[in-house]
């Protein structure tokens, strides 16, 4: 089978009350249409055509994908008209799958099931049964066979009572599709060319029509306003939360987690409330992630602990290591095995060695720190001179006293000690004590300022 996907994404989305094209509004921080494009790729489509209209420049700026064929629908005259714009890109032997850029939760397995029931020379429609089908085109059957679809505004009272509705998603043979599209009429309540009219044409021509249904109705729901967008967001997040729990994670509350990328977890992972995961995140076994943590494109190894309200951004947390609460690991930060950073410690492009610790109120930037190093509160690696970034190297077993400033480039030797409050500008050799601070003076006749 040669699969040719046509994604309809030309609508303005007036009810969104936004200058942004509707399909660019995000679910899990990714445009709705990008979800659909990614799903099409998972199907192994040979060709993917994106039919666009309103906000085309914004759409092309946001969706960078060389594999897409961009098809302009200059006037929005209905779904049938939209698909017809891709006629020149459809071969007779293709199976054409119609998808929608504002229906982001459709799953690969649902579309696989639809394609599986499609007759070789026939077509297949994805339908769903709704308790309240208002607004949807109804599936009209005779002797249990699909004979057509009638839109809400064109339906009579008997047809309005039908609960099986059209989702708009269908798979059709390329040759017949092009023939049927050329026969569409806009003689209806909306004055548009309905794609759904091809179903009646297929029945007229004796073409076999089959149906499939999604596992859940939410898969085929679209977003026409921000309320519906928020509902899809929550449904997506619950679906992702289910995946984590099935993989071995214990979520304190599946309703209070946000996944905006791809997260993999090991066994016996504990994730507290209001956590956010972005990009590619890999979490090992027996990891504990505290409330309010934000983890972005990072790796968390076995037995690590991320305490509440910490930000782990493009960083690595090693086995048995811990960060937080209120720690921030910026890009290039790495905690080796059993290392620890505490509250209000920030790391950037630095490695904290095995068993080393920085308990609180510290900035470690462009630093290579060895094993079993203790870094006191208020320590700063002064890595930036206003023009260049320089390295601070702290060797195994060193002790850095509180409120020290290490002015890079500088090296602190093994088992060296830095006295509290020191400003270190030159190399400290192994096992040396460095005290770099002004001599204390106590003045007897000094008087405090008085209020004027």
């Amino acid at each position: 089978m040669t699969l040719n996907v046509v994604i309809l994404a030309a609508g303005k989305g007036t009810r969104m009350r936004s200058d942004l094209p509707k399909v660019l509004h995000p679910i899990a921080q990714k445009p709705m249409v990008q979800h659909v494009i990614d799903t099409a790729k998972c199907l192994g489509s040979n060709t993917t055509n994106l039919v666009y209209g309103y906000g085309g420049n914004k759409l092309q700026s946001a969706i960078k994908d060389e594999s897409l064929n961009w098809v302009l629908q200059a006037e929005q005259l209905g779904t049938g008209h939209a698909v017809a714009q891709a006629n020149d890109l459809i071969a007779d032997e293709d199976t054409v799958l119609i998808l929608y850029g504002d229906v982001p939760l459709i799953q690969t397995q649902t579309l696989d099931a639809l394609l599986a029931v499609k007759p070789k020379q026939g077509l297949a429609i994805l339908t769903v049964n709704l308790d309240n089908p208002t607004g949807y085109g109804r599936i009209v059957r005779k002797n249990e066979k699909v004979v057509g679809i009638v839109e809400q505004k064109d339906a009579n009272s008997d047809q309005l009572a039908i609960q099986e509705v059209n989702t708009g998603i269908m798979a059709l043979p390329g040759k017949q599709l092009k023939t049927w599209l050329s026969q569409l009429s806009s003689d209806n309540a909306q004055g548009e060319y309905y794609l759904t009219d091809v179903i009646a044409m297929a029945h007229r021509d004796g073409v076999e029509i089959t149906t499939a249904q999604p596992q859940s109705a939410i898969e085929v729901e679209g977003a026409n306003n921000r309320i519906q967008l928020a509902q899809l967001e929550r449904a997506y997040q619950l679906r992702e939360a289910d995946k984590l729990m099935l993989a071995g994670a214990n979520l304190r509350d599946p309703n209070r987690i946000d996944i905006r990328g791809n997260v993999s977890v090991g066994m016996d992972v504990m994730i507290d409330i209001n956590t956010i995961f972005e990009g590619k995140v890999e979490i090992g076994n027996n990891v504990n992630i505290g409330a309010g943590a934000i983890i972005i494109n990072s790796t968390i190894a076995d037995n690590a602990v991320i305490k509440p309200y910490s930000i782990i951004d493009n960083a690595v947390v090693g086995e048995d290591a811990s960060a937080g609460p209120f720690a921030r690991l910026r890009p290039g930060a790495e905690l080796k095995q059993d290392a620890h950073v505490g509250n209000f410690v920030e790391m950037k492009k630095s490695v904290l060695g095995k068993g080393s610790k920085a308990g609180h109120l510290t900035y470690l930037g462009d630093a290579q720190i060895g094993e079993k190093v203790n870094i006191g509160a208020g320590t700063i690696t002064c890595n930036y001179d206003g023009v260049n970034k320089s390295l601070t190297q702290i060797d195994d077993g060193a002790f850095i006293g509180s409120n020290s400033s290490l002015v890079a480039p500088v090296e602190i030797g093994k088992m060296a000690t830095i006295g509290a409050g020191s400003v270190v500008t030159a190399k400290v050799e192994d096992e040396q004590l460095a005290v770099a601070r002004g001599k204390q003076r106590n003045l007897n006749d000094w008087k405090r300022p008085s209020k004027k």
Side-chain angles (χ1 to χ4, degrees), residues 322-325 327 329 335 339-343 345 347 352 356-359 364:
S322 64
L329 303 187
L335 301 183
H340 167 70
V341 292
N343 47 290
V345 173
M347 287 180 64
L352 188 63
S356 294
K357 56 186 178 180
L364 303 173

Side-chain angles (χ1 to χ4, degrees), residues 281-316:
V281 176
E282 298 179 358
I283 300 172
N285 299 314
N286 303 302
V287 171
N288 193 313
I289 298 175
I294 301 174
I295 302 177
I296 306 166
N297 290 317
S298 295
T299 299
I300 315 297
D302 294 351
N303 308 309
V305 176
I306 308 300
K307 296 180 181 179
Y309 305 105
S310 295
I311 300 174
I312 315 298
D313 182 359
N314 284 270
V316 176

Side-chain angles (χ1 to χ4, degrees), residues 371-373 394-399 412-418 428-433:
E371 299 181 3
K372 295 184 178 179
V373 172
I394 304 174
D395 293 335
D396 296 348
F399 183 97
I412 312 300
K414 292 181 180 180
M415 301 302 292
T417 300
I418 307 299
V428 180
E429 300 291 347
D430 295 353
E431 301 184 4
Q432 281 187 332
L433 167 65

Side-chain angles (χ1 to χ4, degrees), residues 279-425:
K280 184 179 180 181
V281 176
E282 298 179 358
I283 300 172
N285 299 314
N286 303 302
V287 171
N288 193 313
I289 298 175
I294 301 174
I295 302 177
I296 306 166
N297 290 317
S298 295
T299 299
I300 315 297
D302 294 351
N303 308 309
V305 176
I306 308 300
K307 296 180 181 179
Y309 305 105
S310 295
I311 300 174
I312 315 298
D313 182 359
N314 284 270
V316 176
V317 179
E319 291 185 24
D320 303 299
S322 64
F326 297 100
R328 184 183 181 196
L329 303 187
R330 291 168 56 193
E334 180 177 0
L335 301 183
K336 294 291 189 181
Q337 183 180 0
D338 198 33
H340 167 70
V341 292
N343 47 290
F344 305 107
V345 173
E346 179 180 355
M347 287 180 64
K348 188 275 298 184
K349 201 176 178 181
S350 296
V351 176
L352 188 63
K354 181 179 178 180
S356 294
K357 56 186 178 180
H360 22 241
L361 303 166
T362 290
Y363 172 67
L364 303 173
D366 297 284
Q368 294 290 320
I369 301 163
E371 299 181 3
K372 295 184 178 179
V373 172
N374 185 87
I375 297 176
T379 294
I380 297 173
T381 59
C382 306
N383 59 323
Y384 184 51
D385 63 6
V387 179
N388 302 301
K389 300 286 182 71
S390 298
L391 179 69
T392 297
Q393 181 175 327
I394 304 174
D395 293 335
D396 296 348
F399 183 97
I400 313 299
S402 296
N403 202 36
S404 294
S405 297
L406 309 180
V407 182
V410 70
E411 181 180 349
I412 312 300
K414 292 181 180 180
M415 301 302 292
T417 300
I418 307 299
S422 294
V423 178
V424 177
T425 60

Side-chain angles (χ1 to χ4, degrees), residues 7-9 22-23 25 27 31-37 39 98-107 111 126 136 167-169 214 216-224 229 232 239:
I7 301 172
L8 305 188
K22 180 171 71 168
V23 297
H25 285 268
I27 296 294
M32 288 194 287
V33 68
Q34 187 66 63
H35 285 274
V36 182
I37 293 168
T39 299
I98 310 297
L99 301 177
Y100 296 82
D102 63 346
V103 182
L105 301 192
I106 189 67
Q107 297 193 81
L111 297 177
L126 192 68
Y136 289 89
T167 68
I169 296 172
S216 170
I218 195 68
E219 279 189 59
V220 294
E221 288 189 17
N224 292 312
L229 187 70
L232 292 183
R239 192 164 80 185

Side-chain angles (χ1 to χ4, degrees), residues 71-391:
V71 180
L72 176 63
Q73 185 188 20
E75 293 183 271
Q76 278 71 66
L77 300 177
T79 51
H81 178 261
V83 175
Q85 306 312 298
N87 268 350
D88 292 343
L89 299 168
I90 296 172
D92 289 350
E93 63 274 14
D94 286 348
T95 291
V96 182
L97 177 65
I98 310 297
L99 301 177
Y100 296 82
D102 63 346
V103 182
L105 301 192
I106 189 67
Q107 297 193 81
T108 304
Q109 53 265 45
T110 294
L111 297 177
D112 280 334
L114 177 68
L115 294 169
V117 301
K118 178 190 172 298
K120 188 173 182 180
Q121 298 301 323
L123 63 85
I125 314 167
L126 192 68
T127 71
V128 65
N129 286 75
L130 299 176
D131 293 335
N132 180 10
T134 302
Y136 289 89
R138 308 306 202 273
I139 301 295
V140 180
R141 292 178 181 267
K142 287 185 179 178
N143 299 321
E144 299 185 353
K145 298 289 187 180
V146 176
V147 297
I149 299 172
V150 61
E151 297 297 332
Q152 169 89 21
K153 292 184 178 182
D154 301 311
N156 60 38
S157 58
D158 289 338
Q159 292 166 336
L160 289 174
I162 297 171
Q163 291 184 303
E164 185 184 14
V165 303
N166 173 42
T167 68
I169 296 172
M170 57 183 76
L172 312 93
K175 183 177 181 179
Q176 288 95 324
L177 172 62
K178 289 186 286 185
T179 299
W180 295 327
L181 289 174
S182 69
Q183 298 171 2
L184 290 178
S185 166
S186 60
D187 184 17
N188 51 59
Q190 289 290 87
E192 294 183 348
Y193 297 92
Y194 293 151
L195 177 64
T196 49
D197 286 349
V198 305
I199 306 303
M201 294 177 185
H203 174 67
R204 175 200 67 194
D205 294 343
V207 173
E208 185 179 358
I209 303 169
T210 57
T211 61
Q213 293 211 340
Q215 293 182 354
S216 170
I218 195 68
E219 279 189 59
V220 294
E221 288 189 17
N224 292 312
N225 58 47
R226 294 179 190 269
I227 294 174
Q228 293 173 340
L229 187 70
Q231 291 168 345
L232 292 183
E233 177 75 39
R234 283 301 93 209
Y236 176 89
Q237 294 301 340
L238 280 172
R239 192 164 80 185
E240 294 302 297
D242 287 348
K243 292 178 184 178
L244 291 188
M245 290 186 287
L246 290 172
N250 185 3
L251 306 185
R252 294 286 190 190
D253 184 351
N255 289 293
R256 289 187 284 176
I257 183 174
D258 268 48
I259 299 167
R260 304 166 184 172
N262 297 304
V263 181
S264 63
V265 296
M267 296 185 297
D268 299 314
V269 171
M270 176 64 70
I271 301 175
D272 213 331
I273 63 170
N274 298 330
T275 47
I276 298 174
F277 301 91
E278 296 182 11
K280 184 179 180 181
V281 176
E282 298 179 358
I283 300 172
N285 299 314
N286 303 302
V287 171
N288 193 313
I289 298 175
I294 301 174
I295 302 177
I296 306 166
N297 290 317
S298 295
T299 299
I300 315 297
D302 294 351
N303 308 309
V305 176
I306 308 300
K307 296 180 181 179
Y309 305 105
S310 295
I311 300 174
I312 315 298
D313 182 359
N314 284 270
V316 176
V317 179
E319 291 185 24
D320 303 299
S322 64
F326 297 100
R328 184 183 181 196
L329 303 187
R330 291 168 56 193
E334 180 177 0
L335 301 183
K336 294 291 189 181
Q337 183 180 0
D338 198 33
H340 167 70
V341 292
N343 47 290
F344 305 107
V345 173
E346 179 180 355
M347 287 180 64
K348 188 275 298 184
K349 201 176 178 181
S350 296
V351 176
L352 188 63
K354 181 179 178 180
S356 294
K357 56 186 178 180
H360 22 241
L361 303 166
T362 290
Y363 172 67
L364 303 173
D366 297 284
Q368 294 290 320
I369 301 163
E371 299 181 3
K372 295 184 178 179
V373 172
N374 185 87
I375 297 176
T379 294
I380 297 173
T381 59
C382 306
N383 59 323
Y384 184 51
D385 63 6
V387 179
N388 302 301
K389 300 286 182 71
S390 298
L391 179 69

